Amino acid sequence: MALTQLPPAPLTVTEESEEPSPRSRQRMQESTPAAQAEPQRSPKREEEGPEAARQPQVLQTPLAVAGRRPLTQKRLLSAYDEAEGKAPGGKRLCPESPRDPAAEPCSPPANGLDGTWEAESDGSEAEDQPSDGQSPLSAYERKRLKNITENAKFFAALQLHESAARLQRIATKRRSPVTKSRAKPKKVEEEPVRRRSMRLQRVEPSEIAMPEVFTQPIAEEYPQVPAGPLPMLPEDQMGDSKLTEGLLAVWMSISEVEANEAEKQVPDMERYQDSLNSMVLSEENIRKVVKSRVCSMAIHPSESILFVAAGDKTGQIGLWNVDCRSEEAAHIFIPHNDSVNCMHFSPCNPAHLLSLSSDSLRCGDVTRAVFDEIYRDEEMSCFDFLEYGAATAVVGQWNGAVVMVDRRTPGASAELSADIGFKRTRTVHVHPVHKQYFMAAGSMDVAVYDVRYLKTSKNKPVSSLQGHTKSVASAYFSPVTGHRVVTVCADDKLRVYDTTSLSSTVAALRTIKHNNNTGRWLTRFRAIWDPKQEKCFVVGSLVQPRRIEVFQDTGKLVHTFCNPDCLASACSINVLHPSRNILVGGNSSGRLHVFREETTGLRS
């Protein structure tokens, strides 16, 4: 609270009865700043006469109040009174006391009309002349000084400044969360149930309608597969049962009979195109073999019975006897914990099915009904046999390295791990004629290496296939001579290379525009050569209606496998029979589609 500024204290005038003593005049001169040097009368003022000399001058002297800055009071003096120390009319001015600076100067009230100051006095000489010799104070001045002192003490006792500061701090403090008014939550209105596709729900499609809320991935429904050999039992079989005896018996029988195969015959392009036209898809040749997305497939080389194996992303392997129409024609096994990236029937013994996931390489031996563990490691992506006997294999890893594995060596360890300088290795493929050469495809690298000169590190390729600008999904030699290589790249290109002579760098022979943007929910496309035809390869397609395309190495589209009534999804993984006109395509829901000749007989 601010104190109200009082009006300037008036001067005290008293009747002059006699001439002031020299001592009193000296005190008066010392108490005022004008007395420090006696003013000289201006000649101009003397010339103007006594009326000009008596013009009032305004002097200001500080008025000290306890607890406040000194106020200023005005005094009216004429030139004559200033020199003589007298007030007009013979009044004497009340000078300030120079001895006591803290003493309150006199300031009687003004009448506010003519600017003159009147002094209240009871007429006693004792009041005007104190005994100590100081300047006399009137009764009004003493009363006023007393009031000022009492008011100052009263306001000091109120501690207004401290209270204002304390209130300011309280106002700026953060309010307690309890005192905050919480907004009432809005009432959630029940929205109508919206239909969402299974792709948006991240649920793998199936023949049976699945609930909208999918709580667990399919892979977590099963316990982890232990290391070592596993019995060849289907996933729905809890104990000893004869559910799979018929299926495994068929596999064993066709492997024993078909051990000695005749020589492969390569038809000309005209006959080959006629055979492609004779292959059709029907509803009875479509079946869900595994529960999740197909990542790899293998087809048995038997000519009497069509026997297919498929591996999905959860580690399941499905075996399907396509010629059998009963419910027992297909069964699922779980030899792996992770995606089955690569599968091959042994070229010398079709009773052995080798499958690879990211953590293990296993051999399913139908003669002993067991899945043996050949090699165990981490981040494996693919493999291929280094020789016809299938005793040794080259294994690619996701970290870019390649590993040499010999099945004849006891234990599940590798013979050699070689760093070929890749950031990622997705596929490896061995030359069909010169088995010492193998090709690796990775991020943007495709190169051919000689297995005889592999070292642990600093391996140089025999030949590099140039031109890829994005990651490469696959690269394979042509099946008969190895004179061609086809690659699938994420830059929406299929490239064909001439590898007749393995020079240090090889440029693309043909470049085919092809939509390879399979995205997250589809397995990457892999272009594979037809083992019956050296110059043609097969690849999946995203064109509507869905189809599987056959290209010649010149870039020409030779044939399109399409059936809008039966094929409604993209088949990323495809496999061709080595001697029969049969094509099998697998999609992201675990279904297999078999294109075959219409004249082929079916068994009950």
Side-chain angles (χ1 to χ4, degrees):
M1 177 181 294
L3 297 178
T4 304
Q5 186 172 357
L6 299 176
L11 298 175
T12 302
V13 293
T14 59
E15 290 293 336
E16 185 181 29
S17 60
E18 59 182 0
E19 190 73 13
S21 63
R23 184 177 179 181
S24 299
R25 182 175 297 179
Q26 182 180 0
R27 286 201 305 268
M28 293 175 60
Q29 293 177 355
E30 292 176 355
S31 62
T32 58
Q36 294 179 3
E38 185 174 352
Q40 297 180 0
R41 297 182 180 179
S42 173
K44 183 180 181 181
R45 187 179 297 272
E46 292 179 355
E47 293 176 359
E48 292 175 356
E51 295 297 327
R54 292 183 178 270
Q55 290 295 328
Q57 293 183 353
V58 180
L59 302 179
Q60 298 193 17
T61 58
L63 176 61
V65 181
R68 297 176 55 188
R69 295 181 59 183
L71 301 176
T72 303
Q73 71 174 8
K74 296 182 179 180
R75 297 195 303 173
L76 301 176
L77 298 176
S78 65
Y80 173 79
D81 298 330
E82 180 181 2
E84 298 297 331
K86 297 181 181 180
K91 301 288 185 177
R92 178 181 294 176
L93 296 176
C94 179
E96 297 177 359
S97 176
R99 297 182 181 179
D100 189 4
E104 298 295 336
C106 54
S107 55
N111 56 15
L113 298 176
D114 55 358
T116 60
W117 300 88
E118 298 295 339
E120 288 185 2
S121 177
D122 55 1
S124 62
E125 187 72 12
E127 292 180 356
D128 296 337
Q129 299 293 336
S131 59
D132 56 358
Q134 295 182 357
S135 299
L137 296 177
S138 65
Y140 174 79
E141 289 177 331
R142 291 194 300 270
K143 184 178 179 179
R144 180 175 177 275
L145 291 176
K146 182 180 178 181
N147 292 339
I148 291 175
T149 304
E150 290 177 356
N151 290 340
K153 291 180 180 179
F154 173 73
F155 284 115
L158 292 179
Q159 298 181 350
L160 297 179
H161 295 286
E162 291 79 355
S163 300
R166 185 165 57 255
L167 291 175
Q168 183 67 20
R169 289 195 299 269
I170 294 174
T172 56
K173 279 186 179 178
R174 184 179 181 181
R175 294 183 178 179
S176 173
V178 180
T179 61
K180 290 184 177 179
S181 59
R182 298 182 180 177
K184 294 182 180 180
K186 295 182 180 179
K187 185 177 180 181
V188 180
E189 298 180 359
E190 294 184 359
E191 297 182 357
V193 179
R194 297 179 181 179
R195 296 184 61 185
R196 300 175 63 196
S197 66
M198 304 188 78
R199 179 180 64 82
L200 294 177
Q201 301 179 57
R202 301 185 179 183
V203 179
E204 292 298 330
S206 62
E207 294 178 346
I208 303 174
M210 301 182 69
E212 185 176 0
V213 179
F214 191 70
T215 56
Q216 269 188 329
I218 297 178
E220 296 184 3
E221 296 180 359
Y222 306 97
Q224 291 292 307
V225 176
L230 299 173
M232 193 174 287
L233 297 175
E235 55 92 17
D236 55 354
Q237 180 174 320
M238 303 302 296
D240 295 337
S241 177
K242 296 183 179 180
L243 293 175
T244 59
E245 287 185 358
L247 181 66
L248 299 181
V250 171
W251 180 8
M252 186 181 301
S253 63
I254 59 178
S255 299
E256 292 175 353
V257 173
E258 303 295 342
N260 296 323
E261 288 286 342
E263 293 184 2
K264 298 179 182 180
Q265 297 180 358
V266 180
D268 55 17
M269 282 300 301
E270 185 177 353
R271 291 176 53 193
Y272 176 70
Q273 197 160 2
D274 292 340
S275 65
L276 295 178
N277 294 329
S278 65
M279 298 163 59
V280 295
L281 175 66
S282 58
E283 292 185 0
E284 58 269 15
N285 290 328
I286 302 174
R287 186 169 185 135
K288 187 176 179 63
V289 178
V290 288
K291 294 184 179 181
S292 187
R293 185 171 70 208
V294 177
C295 297
S296 59
M297 284 195 303
I299 189 168
H300 196 280
S302 172
E303 293 188 358
S304 57
I305 295 177
L306 181 57
F307 194 83
V308 182
D312 71 357
K313 71 172 188 177
T314 64
Q316 297 181 353
I317 292 179
L319 300 178
W320 180 25
N321 180 6
V322 183
D323 294 335
C324 181
R325 290 290 176 255
S326 66
E327 293 296 329
E328 304 302 323
H331 287 285
I332 295 176
F333 303 85
I334 311 177
H336 299 282
N337 289 318
D338 204 352
S339 173
V340 183
N341 300 317
C342 191
M343 297 179 66
H344 294 292
F345 281 98
S346 174
C348 64
N349 187 5
H352 292 173
L353 174 64
L354 282 82
S355 59
L356 178 140
S357 69
S358 61
D359 60 352
S360 62
L361 173 62
R362 291 184 178 272
C363 175
D365 188 354
V366 68
T367 60
R368 298 187 296 116
V370 65
F371 287 99
D372 286 326
E373 188 174 69
I374 300 174
Y375 176 62
R376 174 167 286 273
D377 199 354
E378 297 180 355
E379 299 184 354
M380 292 186 291
S381 59
C382 54
F383 80 98
D384 196 12
F385 302 112
L386 284 171
E387 35 84 26
Y388 182 77
T392 57
V394 54
V395 179
Q397 294 184 320
W398 290 115
N399 60 8
V402 293
V403 176
M404 303 301 155
V405 177
D406 193 338
R407 297 174 57 187
R408 298 165 295 186
T409 303
S413 59
E415 305 300 321
L416 174 66
S417 178
D419 182 9
I420 58 175
F422 281 23
K423 293 181 179 179
R424 185 177 295 270
T425 301
R426 286 191 171 89
T427 60
V428 291
H429 193 226
V430 178
H431 197 281
V433 179
H434 307 286
K435 295 290 185 179
Q436 70 273 20
Y437 296 126
F438 72 91
M439 181 169 50
S443 297
M444 289 188 295
D445 308 303
V446 179
V448 180
Y449 293 86
D450 192 336
V451 69
R452 298 171 297 180
Y453 300 102
L454 279 183
K455 300 175 293 183
T456 305
S457 61
K458 298 181 180 180
N459 292 283
K460 295 182 179 181
V462 176
S463 179
S464 296
L465 280 61
Q466 305 293 321
H468 302 96
T469 59
K470 292 187 178 180
S471 61
V472 181
S474 65
Y476 296 110
F477 286 109
S478 57
V480 180
T481 61
H483 291 170
R484 295 288 187 270
V485 169
V486 60
T487 65
V488 178
C489 186
D491 59 3
D492 291 341
K493 299 278 179 48
L494 305 177
R495 291 178 174 85
V496 179
Y497 293 85
D498 184 3
T499 55
T500 304
S501 59
L502 295 176
S503 57
S504 58
T505 57
V506 180
L509 182 65
R510 293 285 185 274
T511 300
I512 307 168
K513 293 189 65 175
H514 190 268
N515 186 1
N516 299 325
N517 187 16
T518 52
R520 177 181 179 183
W521 302 100
L522 298 179
T523 305
R524 289 184 175 225
F525 288 153
R526 299 176 190 171
I528 60 167
W529 295 94
D530 190 338
K532 302 180 297 296
Q533 177 56 250
E534 173 77 7
K535 298 181 179 181
C536 294
F537 60 87
V538 178
V539 66
S541 176
L542 293 174
V543 179
Q544 292 282 5
R546 299 303 188 195
R547 62 193 63 189
I548 302 173
E549 298 172 331
V550 182
F551 288 93
Q552 198 171 355
D553 57 357
T554 59
K556 178 183 177 182
L557 180 62
V558 177
H559 184 73
T560 298
F561 292 100
C562 182
N563 188 339
D565 298 330
C566 300
L567 183 61
S569 58
C571 292
S572 300
I573 304 299
N574 301 282
V575 64
L576 290 157
H577 196 279
S579 58
R580 299 171 60 183
N581 295 324
I582 295 175
L583 168 67
V584 183
N587 67 2
S588 59
S589 65
R591 287 185 177 86
L592 303 188
H593 306 76
V594 180
F595 291 85
R596 60 192 305 176
E597 295 178 349
E598 292 180 327
T599 57
T600 303
L602 301 178
R603 299 187 179 186
S604 59

